[in-house]
Amino acid sequence: MVLRMSLPAGPFVGESTRQRILDVALELFAAQGFAATTTRELSERLGFTKAALYYHFHSKDDLLQALVDPVMAELTGLLARHATMPADDAVRAAVLADYLDVLVRHRRLIGVLVQDPSVAGRPAIEAGQEYYLRLTDLLSGSTDRAEDRARIRFVLGGLHATVLFAEPGEPLDVVRTTALAAGHAALGLRLAATPD
């Protein structure tokens, strides 16, 4: 299943050509899938020749890589930031919140990555499995119990579903807060109460 979303029509005022290409590529990948989007269609939509498109990106895989790179950079930062901290409930809650924020910021692209089978095995997303395993390790703390790791995978899957399948018009701040509270409860995180 591919998410059907579109960008507003109109010019891309103040944006670089490269960013305009990425925006239109993501729009088309989300609307019709990676495999179904041709470079010809993309270049026509942009008003470019294919040669002009190839000047910026040599292939659709290069486009996908350029879309994925910022997400991977954020995940690298998230993992590095929390890797040296003791895995107490407050740190695990922070990891969960930071990951949820990445999902919210990049929900259109992540929707393409997880729902479009034609991107499976592409070089741009090969590192995704490693990030997922490292994230699971951070959230597990010091436990290696199968029950705890299953609960973590359940929570991560729930976060993905909550963000990716949010109804149009649902306020993302409410979706985020609710998903985070459910994740805390499912992981049994005991957090200090914050003063009102």
Side-chain angles (χ1 to χ4, degrees):
M1 175 182 192
V2 175
L3 286 178
R4 307 245 177 240
M5 301 176 130
S6 62
L7 293 172
F12 293 81
V13 177
E15 293 186 6
S16 71
T17 300
R18 180 179 169 84
Q19 188 58 53
R20 181 175 171 217
I21 294 167
L22 291 171
D23 290 343
V24 172
L26 179 56
E27 175 187 353
L28 291 173
F29 295 164
Q32 60 196 31
F34 180 79
T37 301
T38 65
T39 53
R40 178 180 178 188
E41 177 182 19
L42 182 56
S43 57
E44 286 175 358
R45 178 78 173 269
L46 290 160
F48 293 175
T49 63
K50 283 177 71 173
L53 178 62
Y54 288 137
Y55 174 79
H56 295 280
F57 298 98
H58 298 293
S59 68
K60 283 195 317 182
D61 279 318
D62 287 346
L63 272 167
L64 186 63
Q65 185 68 58
L67 287 167
V68 168
D69 282 345
V71 179
M72 295 303 183
E74 286 187 42
L75 290 174
T76 298
L78 182 159
L79 293 168
R81 215 170 28 254
H82 296 291
T84 59
M85 297 178 177
D88 62 13
D89 283 358
V91 170
R92 292 170 66 216
V95 170
L96 201 62
D98 287 352
Y99 183 66
L100 181 55
D101 290 341
V102 171
L103 288 177
V104 168
R105 270 192 301 280
H106 300 285
R107 65 189 172 281
R108 290 186 68 211
L109 174 61
I110 292 170
V112 170
L113 299 178
V114 301
Q115 296 175 332
D116 184 347
S118 69
V119 298
R122 299 274 174 196
I125 61 167
E126 286 178 351
Q129 181 67 22
E130 178 61 29
Y131 283 100
Y132 187 84
L133 293 174
R134 290 177 58 201
L135 183 64
T136 302
D137 288 343
L138 277 177
L139 289 170
S140 70
S142 59
T143 182
D144 260 346
R145 292 180 2 164
E147 297 89 351
D148 293 331
R149 295 182 83 72
R151 189 175 294 115
I152 291 163
R153 290 189 301 272
F154 172 80
V155 167
L156 293 175
L159 294 181
H160 284 187
T162 302
V163 170
L164 297 179
F165 298 111
E167 294 291 326
E170 282 183 335
L172 284 177
D173 59 331
V174 172
V175 171
R176 182 195 180 280
T177 301
T178 305
L180 202 53
H184 290 172
L187 292 178
L189 300 180
R190 287 172 251 106
L191 303 173
T194 56
D196 292 333

